């Protein structure tokens, strides 16, 4: 199969186990343009007699540096874009990292040839895909869920009152403390007027438990060992002693659940109105979750009817892609790869192994959706594309048609259209599916040993 974009021609040969070989050619005029572009770029720092700095003609730069050096720089900089264009021309959906072979540098006036071997999305043979049954949850909130929301409001409005008794779980202890290791005070081990809730898990494991039973004015000795993975490495795994002076015990005083509470908490006249408002908000969130879960269940029901061969190497490649995406997301939260490894207590091999089941599910879903797109001839209209770009255009203060043209020039419009095809295919499956009641959720915490 051969196809082309404006600058790249690609021929695809199918290989075993959902792999393909793409033989690509970059047009000679594109190579010439890029050589000229990078010669101009190099020429900005050139100094030749008779020319101002940065004004050396590209031909003289090439003569001074050598065509091969300029061409090599151009290829290194542009090969990523040409690879994407080769994928676009070939119509394959890659999975994993490509094996790229550039071959020889082209002579003047010749095209650049390169080959790519890459895993691709597996092909699904559809079974029944219209009219499947899938579970759909009832989004109506239960009285227990509403009670829990009311209790959260009540806890937030609680007041702390000083009490003259021994501290217990749920109480707050105001204290001074000094920590020492082998009789020596350590940095960061002292605090004044610190307040901690017993049972909250704020402090090192074992600290809060040893405050139970203490009263105001008591001196308490807390002995514990820092966890091996404690963030302060100089304290990790070490035994420490804390001299604690209990200054005050405070307990929560919860408001009565009456109409005054409804007014103070949310501005409603009665508790009935407050509960109705909470139920409405719970229902709104539950409806969205139920719809999302239903769409996923419909797709999984269609996948169960289909035949999809998923080679192990694709599962491994998709697991790695998922891992890299997660790392990218975590980096925006300031969490590095090393930090995540330390927090999770796993190495990369274990993380990837853990991701494999989800990776296989994702590959099967992708394959089935692609098969539905092909079977139904789904193709988004220009109006569909413009609709999906409206929000982005508004954020960029740009006419939506102009944004579409910009994305097309950048080679990104194909990806947006592919996302639309997938969404419309899933819409079709959901439209023809039949919802059935979802199994009742088991009560939380009902897993006690016999």
């Amino acid at each position: 199969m051969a196809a082309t974009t404006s600058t790249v021609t690609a021929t695809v040969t199918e290989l075993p186990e959902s792999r393909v070989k793409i033989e690509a050619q970059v047009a000679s005029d594109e190579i010439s343009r890029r050589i000229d572009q990078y010669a101009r770029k190099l020429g900005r720092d050139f100094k030749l007699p008779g020319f101002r700095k940065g004004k050396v003609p590209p031909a003289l730069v090439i003569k001074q540096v050598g065509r091969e050096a300029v061409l090599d720089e151009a290829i290194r900089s542009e090969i990523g874009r040409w690879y994407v264009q080769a994928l676009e021309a070939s119509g394959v959906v890659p999975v994993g990292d490509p094996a790229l072979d550039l071959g020889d540098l082209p002579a003047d006036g010749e095209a650049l040839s390169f080959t790519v071997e890459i895993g691709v999305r597996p092909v699904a043979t559809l079974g029944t895909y219209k009219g499947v049954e899938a579970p759909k949850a009832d989004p109506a909130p239960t009285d227990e869920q509403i009670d829990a929301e009311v209790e959260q409001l009540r806890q937030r409005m609680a007041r702390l009152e000083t009490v003259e008794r021994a501290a217990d779980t749920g109480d707050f202890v105001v204290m001074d403390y000094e920590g020492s290791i082998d009789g020596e005070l350590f940095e960061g081990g002292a605090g004044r007027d610190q307040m901690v809730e017993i049972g909250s898990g704020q402090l090192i494991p074992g600290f809060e438990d040893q405050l139970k039973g203490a009263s105001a004015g008591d001196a308490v000795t807390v002995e514990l060992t820092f966890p091996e993975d404690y963030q302060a490495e100089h304290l990790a795994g070490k035994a420490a002693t804390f001299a604690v002076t209990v200054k005050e015990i405070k307990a929560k005083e919860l408001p009565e659940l009456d109409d005054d509470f409804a007014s103070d908490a949310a501005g409603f006249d009665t508790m009935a109105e407050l509960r109705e408002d909470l139920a409405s908000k719970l229902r709104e969130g539950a409806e969205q979750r139920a719809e999302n879960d239903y769409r996923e269940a419909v797709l999984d029901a269609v996948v169960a009817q289909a035949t999809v061969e998923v080679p192990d190497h694709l599962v491994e490649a998709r697991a790695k892609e998922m891992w890299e995406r997660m790392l990218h997301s975590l980096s925006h939260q300031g969490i590095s790869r090393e930090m995540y490894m330390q927090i999770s207590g796993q190495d990369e091999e274990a993380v990837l192994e853990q991701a494999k089941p989800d990776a296989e599910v994702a590959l099967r879903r992708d394959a089935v959706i692609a098969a539905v797109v092909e079977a139904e001839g789904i193709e988004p209209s220009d109006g569909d594309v413009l609709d999906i770009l409206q929000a982005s255009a508004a954020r960029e203060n740009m006419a939506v048609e102009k944004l579409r043209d910009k994305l097309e020039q950048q080679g990104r419009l194909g990806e947006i259209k592919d996302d639309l095809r997938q969404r419309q295919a899933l819409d079709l499956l959901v439209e023809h599916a039949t919802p059935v009641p979802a199994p009742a959720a088991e009560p939380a915490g009902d897993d006690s040993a016999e």
Side-chain angles (χ1 to χ4, degrees):
M1 179 181 71
T4 184
T5 64
S6 58
T7 57
V8 178
T9 301
T11 302
V12 180
T13 303
E14 292 190 9
L15 303 175
E17 295 194 318
S18 295
R19 289 185 67 81
V20 298
K21 180 179 181 180
I22 302 173
E23 297 175 274
Q25 275 201 337
V26 183
S28 58
D29 56 348
E30 166 74 354
I31 297 298
S32 297
R33 280 195 300 272
R34 297 306 167 190
I35 289 176
D36 186 74
Q37 174 187 343
Y38 282 90
R40 290 181 187 279
K41 187 176 179 181
L42 290 170
R44 293 172 190 164
D45 298 320
F46 255 59
K47 293 181 180 179
L48 284 181
F51 296 96
R52 286 182 295 162
K53 183 179 179 181
K55 297 297 182 180
V56 180
L60 286 180
V61 173
I62 293 171
K63 185 176 180 181
Q64 289 288 320
V65 176
R67 179 180 178 277
E68 282 197 3
V70 179
L71 176 57
D72 184 68
E73 176 67 23
I75 291 174
R76 288 175 183 274
S77 300
E78 299 295 324
I79 190 62
R81 187 169 62 85
W82 292 334
Y83 164 65
V84 171
Q85 289 181 344
L87 291 179
E88 184 181 344
S90 62
V92 302
V93 179
V95 179
D97 296 325
L100 177 67
D101 183 0
L102 274 173
D104 298 327
L105 294 178
D108 193 13
E110 290 184 356
L112 169 70
S113 296
F114 65 91
T115 62
V116 178
E117 286 193 19
I118 183 76
V120 293
R121 181 174 59 199
V123 177
T125 301
L126 292 173
T128 300
Y129 66 93
K130 289 183 178 178
V132 298
E133 291 186 346
K136 188 171 187 180
D138 181 0
T142 64
D143 286 341
E144 289 77 9
Q145 289 172 319
I146 298 170
D147 289 344
E149 291 293 312
V150 171
E151 185 59 27
Q152 284 188 24
L153 279 175
R154 191 183 186 207
Q155 291 290 335
R156 285 202 293 270
M157 294 188 66
R159 292 180 301 175
L160 290 181
E161 298 290 344
T162 300
V163 293
E164 299 297 330
R165 59 170 173 78
D168 202 352
T169 300
D171 290 337
F172 291 77
V173 176
V174 180
M175 61 184 176
D176 295 341
Y177 62 88
E178 284 187 339
S180 60
I181 295 175
D182 296 331
E184 297 291 332
L185 299 179
F186 59 86
E187 184 180 355
R192 296 287 179 270
D193 295 321
Q194 299 294 305
M195 186 166 69
V196 62
E197 181 182 3
I198 297 179
S200 66
Q202 292 174 262
L203 301 182
I204 307 161
F207 198 120
E208 293 166 20
D209 288 342
Q210 295 181 57
L211 297 177
K212 288 182 184 178
S215 300
D218 286 354
V220 179
T221 299
V222 173
E223 295 183 343
L224 49 78
T225 300
F226 283 93
E228 293 291 344
D229 59 352
Y230 194 65
Q231 58 187 4
E233 293 182 5
H234 67 290
L235 300 176
K238 293 188 177 180
T241 300
F242 289 85
V244 178
T245 302
V246 178
K247 304 178 78 171
E248 202 172 1
I249 308 297
K250 292 179 177 288
K252 281 184 180 179
E253 184 176 302
L254 297 171
E256 294 292 328
L257 294 179
D258 53 21
D259 292 344
D260 288 339
F261 169 78
S263 176
D264 293 340
F268 290 100
D269 292 333
T270 65
M271 277 296 296
E273 290 177 1
L274 171 60
R275 289 180 67 87
E276 184 179 344
D277 179 70
L278 292 173
S280 175
K281 290 174 180 175
L282 283 169
R283 186 180 300 108
E284 184 179 335
E287 284 174 351
Q288 186 61 57
R289 288 192 299 275
E291 182 60 28
N292 291 341
D293 290 345
Y294 177 59
R295 288 172 69 84
E296 196 170 273
V298 168
L299 178 54
D300 286 338
V302 176
V303 169
Q305 298 288 330
T307 302
V308 190
E309 295 295 330
V310 184
D312 289 344
H313 74 87
L314 284 190
V315 175
E316 292 168 2
R318 176 55 64 88
K320 188 174 181 181
E321 289 176 352
M322 293 166 66
W323 165 233
E324 293 296 336
R325 281 198 297 269
M326 186 177 77
L327 285 176
H328 181 71
S329 176
L330 289 172
S331 69
H332 292 299
Q333 304 171 42
I335 300 174
S336 67
R337 181 189 299 257
E338 292 71 23
M339 287 172 64
Y340 178 81
M341 294 299 188
Q342 185 176 1
I343 293 167
S344 68
Q346 295 177 303
D347 58 20
E348 186 164 332
E349 185 178 347
V351 171
L352 292 174
E353 191 64 31
Q354 200 174 54
K356 283 183 180 180
D358 287 341
E360 182 171 352
V361 168
L363 286 166
R364 292 184 184 279
R365 288 174 175 174
D366 289 351
V368 165
I369 285 289
V372 173
V373 168
E374 184 175 356
E376 294 290 329
I378 294 173
E379 187 59 40
S381 67
D382 192 50
D384 294 331
V385 173
L386 294 178
D387 286 345
I388 207 70
L389 294 177
Q390 285 286 357
S392 297
R395 282 196 301 271
E396 296 188 27
N397 196 25
M398 180 185 296
V400 67
E401 293 85 358
K402 193 169 182 180
L403 176 59
R404 176 202 56 200
D405 295 343
K406 175 184 175 182
L407 292 170
E408 188 169 23
Q409 290 169 5
Q410 294 173 344
R412 295 166 56 196
L413 195 60
E415 182 181 342
I416 290 170
K417 285 185 175 180
D418 193 46
D419 287 344
L420 265 173
R421 291 185 194 99
Q422 294 177 40
R423 189 179 306 181
Q424 291 173 352
L426 184 52
D427 288 343
L428 181 144
L429 297 179
V430 171
E431 180 185 347
H432 289 87
T434 302
V436 296
E442 292 187 7
D446 189 21
D447 57 354
S448 57
E450 294 183 3

